[in-house]
Amino acid sequence: MVLGDKLAGLGDRISRALAGMRSNTVIDEAVVDEMLKEIGNALIAADVAIGLVLGLRKDIKTAINLPEIASGLNKRKIIQQAVFDALVKLLDPKTKPFKPVKAKPNVIMFVGLQGAGKTTTVSKLAYFYKKKGWKPCVVCADTFRAGAFDQLKQNAAKIKVPFYGSYTEADPVKVAQEGVAVFKKENYDIIIVDTSGRHKQEEGLFDEMSQISTAIQPNNIIFVMDGAIGSMAHAQAQAFKSKVAVGSVIITKLDGHAKGGGTLSAVAATNSPVIFVGTGEHMDDLEPFEASSFVSRLLGMGDMKGMMTIFEEVLPKDKMKKKEARLREGKFTLRDMYEQLQDLQKMGPINQVMEMIPGMSQLGPMLRGTQGNAKLKVMLNILDSCTDDELDSDQPLKDNSRIMRLARGAGRHPREVVELVEQHKQFSHMIKGLSKQNLGRGNQAIDPKKILTPQMMKQLGGADNAANLMKQLQKMGPNFPGLGNMKFPGMPGMQ
């Protein structure tokens, strides 16, 4: 998921607290207490409830137990793992969410306060399931808010899913019941029902929710929560759960609020599993939530599991095998770079990809918003101006006249063409180094100094960070998509 600037700031503060602990030559109770104090202050500033913070501190202290750590063991790693586990526990209620079943109608009812982004999230969820091969549809049972009908109908048309609603019927229960019945007859397997929201927790809202729930018998009731409300999320979620059987939660606007951590922890305290988070305004800005992946990205540790999932969605297996064969041969032409950039573009926002790679999270903020995607488009435009011979040649582009022609063809400054050529040269050097060093040699460790240029080493934060990154990538083994025994993706576009 894409961490907003403010929420990423929480991760930075926790990471600095851990770094401060690691910098001490002797790890004792005073050092641990200082680290826990800094982490606690960061969480409280993010609106995590004090009671939850105190519980987290207690869990960490219990897990560490310095006097009982055997000599020779790495105390710093044990403490870091204890912090990680405690943060995951804070966000994970260990409650299994509802999973829809194929070949039968799965009715999903949305509830929440007005202004939380409920109607938009209905469309996002429908789009998510459509991309996964389901047959989703949407029902507008929000007869209270002016514009709800038009908003959901327009969104449904945009994502090309069926819509049911009524301009004239004022009874939301009747609209919901009729809409669900229609779509069940037409064999849709994901039926999402939007309901009215209010600014305050009025009894009328809860009565209406209960009546709709009784009428349509949903398989899952999703509570949509605004990520900006912080620790108040606990009371809100509890109030809704007391009236209807809330099965799971979607948190919106997580990308722009420091209180997102407070919202997540408060909802987890209600034992309601967070299943998705909204990270933007676009229809594909809805991402599955997993506590361990979230904490891993928050602390700059990457999310290789999530990255593998995206790789498998973006790259067909036959394409993976072709890429693997070329990489094993140490070949990396401009055409290979062009195809890699296209695959990278399909994976989503560039800063999201950066946050998934261990040791690369510091590059995420540099590419936040449209900056990273804009740079990617520039590179693709330049490569579009290349001839087939230039794309397939093993020799780097050195001719100034060619560089000027590519710049004119792409409408870019010649300096940008030179930068692209230089970047291709660096990655070609790395791929050749990987081929020579690691091909067919089992689990032999990769020496980054033998395959990375000094400039690339600097971009990765130095030799230690580069070695750690490769070590974590090697742990993924030959199952990492498209790379076989190469064990290192070498993606262009990371600067």
Side-chain angles (χ1 to χ4, degrees):
M1 74 199 55
V2 181
L3 301 178
D5 293 320
K6 297 178 182 178
L7 193 54
L10 167 63
D12 291 340
R13 289 189 64 179
I14 296 175
S15 296
R16 284 198 298 271
L18 288 167
M21 176 271 300
R22 289 193 296 268
S23 66
N24 283 276
T25 54
V26 177
I27 306 296
D28 55 18
E29 292 287 349
V31 171
V32 172
D33 287 341
E34 181 62 26
M35 177 201 70
L36 291 176
K37 179 183 176 182
E38 291 298 319
I39 291 175
N41 289 339
L43 292 170
I44 290 171
D47 214 22
V48 176
I50 292 177
L52 294 175
V53 174
L54 293 175
L56 177 134
R57 288 181 57 133
K58 182 180 178 181
D59 288 342
I60 294 173
K61 290 277 282 187
T62 302
I64 295 172
N65 199 1
L66 284 177
E68 293 189 9
I69 297 179
S71 60
L73 294 180
N74 191 323
K75 290 183 180 180
R76 292 167 179 80
K77 284 189 176 181
I78 291 172
I79 293 170
Q80 181 171 313
Q81 186 62 46
V83 171
F84 179 87
D85 292 341
L87 287 169
V88 171
K89 181 182 176 183
L90 184 70
L91 301 177
D92 188 358
K94 298 296 182 185
T95 304
K96 289 186 178 180
F98 165 77
K99 288 188 177 181
V101 180
K102 283 278 191 180
K104 64 167 286 187
N106 299 274
V107 180
I108 300 171
M109 176 178 163
F110 269 58
V111 299
L113 300 178
Q114 190 172 334
K118 181 165 50 61
T119 300
T120 300
T121 307
V122 166
S123 307
K124 288 181 178 181
L125 186 63
Y127 185 58
F128 173 85
Y129 279 119
K130 182 180 179 182
K131 290 191 297 182
K132 297 289 185 181
W134 296 77
K135 285 182 61 182
C137 56
V138 295
V139 177
C140 179
D142 183 351
T143 59
F144 178 81
R145 180 171 67 89
F149 178 96
D150 291 329
Q151 181 187 354
L152 188 54
K153 185 176 182 180
Q154 288 168 10
N155 285 344
K158 186 187 299 183
I159 61 176
K160 295 181 173 59
V161 302
F163 165 85
Y164 183 92
S166 174
Y167 263 130
T168 57
E169 179 56 63
D171 182 359
V173 178
K174 188 175 182 181
V175 174
Q177 202 167 20
E178 290 177 352
V180 170
V182 166
F183 287 130
K184 279 185 175 180
K185 280 185 180 179
E186 296 176 3
N187 296 320
Y188 284 90
D189 50 19
I190 299 289
I191 305 171
I192 307 174
V193 181
D194 187 22
T195 64
S196 302
R198 302 286 194 278
H199 282 297
K200 294 181 180 179
Q201 293 166 321
E202 301 170 347
E203 281 301 317
L205 166 63
F206 290 126
D207 290 341
E208 181 182 292
M209 285 192 308
S210 297
Q211 291 169 19
I212 294 175
S213 178
T214 301
I216 66 174
Q217 294 293 303
N219 301 98
N220 187 27
I221 297 179
I222 295 177
F223 176 44
V224 179
M225 173 70 69
D226 188 334
I229 70 173
S231 59
M232 291 188 295
H234 186 279
Q236 297 281 10
Q238 288 284 34
F240 275 81
K241 284 192 73 171
S242 68
K243 296 294 182 177
V244 291
V246 173
S248 44
V249 179
I250 294 178
I251 295 180
T252 62
K253 309 174 190 176
L254 193 67
D255 56 325
H257 293 281
K259 294 184 177 182
T263 308
L264 284 165
S265 59
V267 171
T270 68
N271 288 321
S272 300
V274 178
I275 54 172
F276 290 94
V277 293
T279 57
E281 294 298 320
H282 300 293
M283 285 296 121
D284 54 358
D285 290 336
L286 184 73
E287 298 179 26
F289 178 82
E290 185 181 41
S292 59
S293 295
F294 177 83
V295 172
S296 187
R297 289 200 218 179
L298 190 71
L299 299 182
M301 297 161 63
D303 177 18
M304 298 309 297
K305 180 181 176 182
M307 193 169 187
M308 279 192 68
T309 300
I310 295 178
F311 257 96
E312 289 165 355
E313 290 177 355
V314 168
L315 297 177
K317 287 186 178 180
D318 58 337
K319 193 174 181 181
M320 288 183 190
K321 290 180 180 179
K322 289 179 181 178
K323 285 181 179 293
E324 178 186 334
R326 288 191 61 78
L327 292 175
R328 287 168 65 87
E329 293 170 7
K331 293 181 179 179
F332 192 74
T333 64
L334 283 173
R335 189 180 298 280
D336 293 315
M337 185 178 191
Y338 182 66
E339 292 176 355
Q340 290 268 27
L341 290 173
Q342 287 179 316
D343 293 336
L344 185 58
Q345 191 176 44
K346 295 175 187 175
M347 291 179 70
I350 304 303
N351 57 312
Q352 175 185 336
V353 177
M354 294 299 100
E355 288 167 355
M356 292 174 121
I357 302 174
M360 301 292 282
S361 61
Q362 71 272 18
L363 300 181
M366 296 165 56
L367 300 172
R368 187 152 283 135
T370 59
Q371 183 180 350
N373 289 339
K375 183 173 181 62
L376 192 59
K377 287 180 181 177
V378 167
M379 298 171 77
L380 287 169
N381 286 341
I382 293 171
L383 291 168
D384 277 330
S385 300
C386 291
T387 64
D388 287 339
D389 287 341
E390 289 167 341
L391 288 173
D392 295 324
S393 174
D394 289 332
Q395 301 302 315
L397 288 174
K398 295 180 180 178
D399 192 331
N400 285 336
S401 63
R402 286 188 175 186
I403 289 173
M404 293 300 295
R405 176 179 58 77
L406 291 176
R408 287 194 300 270
R412 309 304 305 183
H413 195 281
R415 180 184 65 252
E416 293 175 294
V417 180
V418 173
E419 288 175 356
L420 183 145
V421 171
E422 181 59 29
Q423 193 169 16
H424 171 261
K425 181 180 176 182
Q426 291 181 29
F427 275 94
S428 180
H429 172 85
M430 185 184 71
I431 295 300
K432 288 177 181 177
L434 278 170
S435 177
K436 290 177 181 178
Q437 186 185 2
N438 199 48
L439 183 59
R441 297 188 183 180
N443 293 319
Q444 178 180 324
I446 299 174
D447 183 358
K449 293 178 183 178
K450 292 184 179 180
I451 62 171
L452 299 180
T453 64
Q455 183 180 351
M456 294 179 76
M457 194 86 75
K458 184 178 179 181
Q459 290 172 353
L460 289 172
D464 289 342
N465 278 355
N468 183 55
L469 168 60
M470 292 189 179
K471 189 181 295 183
Q472 292 198 51
L473 287 168
Q474 277 187 285
K475 287 179 183 177
M476 303 304 293
N479 294 322
F480 199 90
L483 297 169
N485 289 329
M486 299 294 290
K487 299 172 187 157
F488 186 74
M491 278 190 209
M494 301 175 189
Q495 290 199 54

